[in-house]
Amino acid sequence: MADVARGITGAVAAQGALASTVSEFKLSLRPDRMLELAKQTTLPGDEEYAGLGASLGIDLKVLKELQTEWTTTFNWSAEQESLNKYQQYTTTIEGLTIHFVHQKSENPNAIPLILSHGWPGSFAEFIPVIDPLTNGGKESSASFHVVVPSLPGFGFSSAPLTAEWTLDDTARVFNTLMTEVLGYQTYAAHGTDWGCFVAYSMYDGFSASVRAVHLTSIPFLPVAPAQFAEYGIELDENERFQQKLAEQWMATGLGYYTEHTTKPNTIGLALYDNPMGQLAWMGEKYIEWSDPRAGTAPSVLTRKEILRQVSLYYLSKSFVSSVFTYAQNAMSSRANYSKARNDAPMLYSSFKYNGGFWPKEIIASVGNLVSHTYHEFGGHFAALDNPPALVGDIRKIGDYWGKK
């Protein structure tokens, strides 16, 4: 990613920094080649495998509509300008360039909070919740100093060029970011997708600094229905729906995961300079993993949002390194349930269409679960699928902050 255009406006010391210098960061990326290649891409005629819809992958009609919007009305300059309204920085930790948003609340008693994204997400996934979290009001329980890093190998954070790098390593780096670079002695963590693995690892491994965690998934393999009785689990109607959806995903939705974990270089290089290929590969996940009502309130996961996310991947040249995360963490989902080495509160939000499903009893077995909230509206990308619900649930951290 060394040739990515970046607007660095000078070195500044982060407020409260203990051991590191950060540089202000602004996106300055040109979309010309991306849009030209997307425009030149020829897709099959509508008669090819007619009637499939989205049953065997992304709907051809939808992909064509996305292509048209991308190459005609999508305005990358406006999207880039909107992202640059947020205070962004880079710093170096363990030899890696780490990019992050650091948006401070005006409330001096606000709780430091780090938000970790996953794939095919990015730091921009959390844009809809940053302002509500920082401007939650005068009460400390409603306000946060928000930090949103790009995972190593994603966006504007450099890639760890070793097969041994794990999400536990990322958790260590992010703890360093919060404590040594930004100077927060204690903080709360939230994660989605891979970010759940990172946030839980921070919660488990850094109990002195991580004093609350909020999750939408846990880094453990799901319990088979045949084992429910062993754990005393009886599912209600909503949980039965989520369990069925999870079983469907396990049966038909793991093709990408197998490719990423076993042959990341093949798919990575095939799509490296192929914007329409990246759009098809990642766009399908945004569509399939989100609430079917995506794009209608309270969801902000519109097609423009999908195009913004894919544009970030292509323009930052991070698609290859992002999929390598899967190969580096092929065995990261834990088979044996164990309690985190932390007595701090753990909060959990269960969104109907998330895809992954763990009964409340299982979630409670891996941490100090103090809040479990089910949402009828929402999917895998909570900050985009249902921003108000996610904000409300994260704000509950304030009810438990400082308590065991």
Side-chain angles (χ1 to χ4, degrees):
M1 295 189 290
D3 57 340
V4 176
R6 299 180 177 185
I8 304 298
T9 60
V12 296
Q15 183 174 350
L18 301 180
S20 182
T21 299
V22 303
S23 297
E24 292 182 350
F25 177 93
K26 295 288 185 183
L27 281 76
S28 180
L29 305 172
R30 295 184 59 86
D32 308 56
R33 178 174 177 81
M34 175 184 74
L35 297 178
E36 186 61 30
L37 289 174
K39 187 175 182 179
Q40 291 175 359
T41 299
T42 300
L43 294 172
D46 294 339
E47 71 282 355
E48 191 153 340
Y49 299 109
L52 283 180
S55 61
L56 294 177
I58 192 167
D59 189 320
L60 175 59
K61 178 177 179 291
V62 170
L63 184 59
K64 286 184 174 181
E65 291 170 352
L66 284 166
Q67 180 187 35
T68 298
E69 183 174 344
W70 209 7
T71 57
T72 57
T73 61
F74 180 76
N75 187 338
W76 169 252
S77 295
E79 298 300 324
Q80 184 164 251
E81 183 179 352
S82 69
L83 292 173
N84 280 334
K85 292 178 181 178
Y86 293 87
Q87 298 171 14
Q88 298 174 59
Y89 305 90
T90 59
T91 191
T92 302
I93 304 174
E94 297 187 20
L96 294 175
T97 296
I98 300 298
H99 161 260
F100 61 98
V101 172
H102 186 201
Q103 206 74 15
K104 293 179 68 69
S105 171
E106 294 182 358
N107 186 337
N109 296 317
I111 299 168
L113 171 70
I114 184 170
L115 309 174
S116 297
H117 67 83
W119 186 93
S122 72
F123 79 97
E125 181 178 340
F126 291 112
I127 293 298
V129 303
I130 293 177
D131 287 341
L133 288 172
T134 56
N135 302 321
K138 296 181 180 180
E139 297 297 327
S140 61
S141 62
S143 299
F144 298 86
H145 300 310
V146 177
V147 179
V148 189
S150 296
L151 268 63
F154 289 71
F156 307 105
S157 289
S158 60
L161 302 179
T162 170
E164 287 72 40
W165 188 270
T166 69
L167 294 167
D168 289 336
D169 295 315
T170 297
R172 183 182 65 252
V173 165
F174 283 3
N175 183 68
T176 298
L177 171 66
M178 294 298 286
T179 59
E180 296 185 30
V181 178
L182 298 179
Y184 294 123
Q185 293 184 351
T186 58
Y187 62 91
H190 162 79
T192 183
D193 193 85
W194 281 133
C196 286
F197 289 69
V198 175
Y200 185 85
S201 179
M202 297 170 81
Y203 175 69
D204 181 39
F206 301 97
S207 59
S209 50
V210 181
R211 300 311 304 155
V213 67
H214 178 271
L215 303 170
T216 58
S217 300
I218 56 174
F220 295 84
L221 294 173
V223 173
Q227 297 177 279
F228 284 174
E230 176 186 342
Y231 288 92
I233 296 170
E234 293 186 13
L235 302 184
D236 61 25
E237 183 179 354
N238 293 326
E239 291 173 322
R240 286 194 293 272
F241 176 90
Q242 291 178 291
Q243 176 64 31
K244 183 177 180 180
L245 187 67
E247 291 173 0
Q248 180 181 346
W249 182 81
M250 292 292 290
T252 64
L254 285 176
Y256 85 97
Y257 186 88
T258 301
E259 183 71 16
H260 285 194
T261 53
T262 60
K263 306 294 181 185
N265 219 33
T266 301
I267 189 63
L269 296 179
L271 301 185
Y272 174 76
D273 196 27
N274 185 340
M276 283 303 299
Q278 291 187 27
L279 178 59
W281 192 255
M282 292 187 285
E284 179 215 350
K285 309 306 181 290
Y286 276 104
I287 294 168
E288 288 295 314
W289 297 353
S290 62
D291 191 296
R293 298 158 288 185
T296 63
S299 168
V300 295
L301 213 174
T302 61
R303 290 185 177 181
K304 186 178 77 168
E305 181 63 34
I306 295 173
L307 295 174
R308 175 165 75 164
Q309 295 289 344
V310 175
S311 295
L312 275 171
Y313 272 80
Y314 180 87
L315 295 174
S316 64
K317 304 186 189 307
S318 59
F319 182 81
V320 178
S321 53
S322 75
V323 299
F324 258 87
T325 300
Y326 287 79
Q328 292 165 324
N329 295 276
M331 304 300 293
S332 58
S333 292
R334 310 179 194 188
N336 298 318
Y337 287 84
S338 59
K339 202 85 168 183
R341 296 164 293 179
N342 196 332
D343 60 359
M346 182 173 76
L347 298 85
Y348 192 91
S349 296
S350 178
F351 290 89
K352 182 174 183 176
Y353 291 96
N354 183 22
F357 171 68
W358 295 263
K360 180 179 178 179
E361 294 85 348
I362 296 299
I363 299 168
S365 73
V366 302
N368 180 19
L369 184 66
V370 297
S371 174
H372 182 280
T373 308
Y374 169 77
H375 295 285
E376 179 68 20
F377 195 115
H380 191 69
F381 308 96
L384 300 173
D385 270 309
N386 194 340
L390 182 62
V391 168
D393 288 354
I394 290 177
R395 280 182 179 158
K396 293 177 185 176
I397 288 174
D399 298 334
Y400 302 95
W401 188 249
K403 304 175 184 178
K404 292 185 178 182

